[in-house]
Amino acid sequence: MGIIKIMLEFKWSVLLIEAFFLIGGALLVTTGFKVRKQSKTSAFISIGIGTIITLISLYILFWTFIVGYNS
């Protein structure tokens, strides 16, 4: 528990920004599924961009926890 607490104390600002991107990507994906009946093109773009943002933010979040953002 101590190492997680130390990591959060030093990297909280970077983790907060990454969390915003993760939430934004998830919102884009859910919005894409909701507008799928009205416009297939905008739904495809929204789902695609949301998925890309979510996967990239998960990857960066993983490496921030494991390696650190300054290495």
Side-chain angles (χ1 to χ4, degrees), residues 30-44:
T30 56
T31 302
F33 281 118
K34 286 184 179 180
V35 296
R36 190 172 31 170
K37 292 180 181 177
Q38 288 132 358
S39 174
K40 294 204 183 274
T41 305
S42 65
F44 177 72

Side-chain angles (χ1 to χ4, degrees), residues 16-62:
L16 183 65
I17 292 170
E18 291 172 4
F20 283 141
F21 278 107
L22 184 65
I23 292 169
L27 287 175
L28 275 173
V29 171
T30 56
T31 302
F33 281 118
K34 286 184 179 180
V35 296
R36 190 172 31 170
K37 292 180 181 177
Q38 288 132 358
S39 174
K40 294 204 183 274
T41 305
S42 65
F44 177 72
I45 292 171
S46 179
I47 291 170
I49 292 173
T51 303
I52 290 170
I53 289 173
T54 303
L55 290 175
I56 289 173
S57 64
L58 282 174
Y59 179 76
I60 293 172
L61 191 66
F62 173 73

